[in-house]
Amino acid sequence: MNDNVFLLNIQDKINQEDLFNIRMKFEQLQNKKEILSNLVFLKLQDPIKPLIASIISGCLGLGFLALDRFMMKDYILGSLRLVLSLFPCILFLILGTNYEQDTDLSEIFFVFFCIFLICGIIWWGVDLFLVYKKIKKENYNKIMEFIFNYQKI
């Protein structure tokens, strides 16, 4: 397999700067054909799938589910986003509607509900870009680690 064909296959899975670095690394390799034949079987994650899942869930009002984080197996941040986006909103919404309507405390609960809702929406929007870039960087690191480990053998 030609290294240009391989680079064409992965160009949407890594950043352009990293693609240039991999191309330079391939030029330095001595056993290029052998590494390329094994590198084809390396599982790289497609950065578009979590992005599309997150956009669709966000448009349906379910952006707090952190589907993109769970799809890239980032369970800690996914759980954190789920807990910090969903539960405070539900808590303050319930407290605001069940409290006596004549007091200012009910309005304060609704303000907290709106603040947490806006923070959750902002976090979802920022995460769209962060997850996309992180998947591309992880793919690059997988390729470079594979080449490095293969050269050790």
Side-chain angles (χ1 to χ4, degrees), residues 89-105:
C89 286
I90 292 174
L91 174 72
F92 287 121
L93 183 64
I94 290 171
L95 288 175
T97 56
N98 288 339
Y99 213 80
E100 294 179 19
Q101 298 296 327
D102 298 339
T103 63
D104 289 334
L105 202 52

Side-chain angles (χ1 to χ4, degrees), residues 6 36-44:
F6 175 74
L36 275 173
S37 63
N38 290 322
L39 199 56
V40 172
F41 299 110
L42 189 65
K43 288 197 125 201
L44 299 177

Side-chain angles (χ1 to χ4, degrees), residues 83-146:
V83 168
L84 291 180
S85 296
L86 181 62
F87 294 127
C89 286
I90 292 174
L91 174 72
F92 287 121
L93 183 64
I94 290 171
L95 288 175
T97 56
N98 288 339
Y99 213 80
E100 294 179 19
Q101 298 296 327
D102 298 339
T103 63
D104 289 334
L105 202 52
S106 175
E107 293 173 6
I108 292 172
F109 286 140
F110 276 122
V111 168
F112 280 126
F113 163 73
C114 291
I115 288 171
F116 278 103
L117 183 66
I118 290 170
C119 289
I121 291 170
I122 290 172
W123 194 351
W124 167 76
V126 169
D127 239 9
L128 285 175
F129 299 104
L130 293 178
V131 167
Y132 184 76
K133 288 182 180 264
K134 186 174 181 181
I135 289 175
K136 284 190 167 198
K137 187 52 87 174
E138 284 179 358
N139 286 340
Y140 170 72
N141 290 338
K142 274 186 194 177
I143 293 170
M144 293 306 282
E145 182 181 344
F146 181 84

Side-chain angles (χ1 to χ4, degrees), residues 1-8 23 26-27 32 36:
M1 171 182 250
N2 189 357
D3 58 332
N4 288 328
V5 173
F6 175 74
L7 292 173
L8 227 116
R23 180 173 284 135
F26 279 156
E27 289 175 4
K32 188 185 330 185
L36 275 173

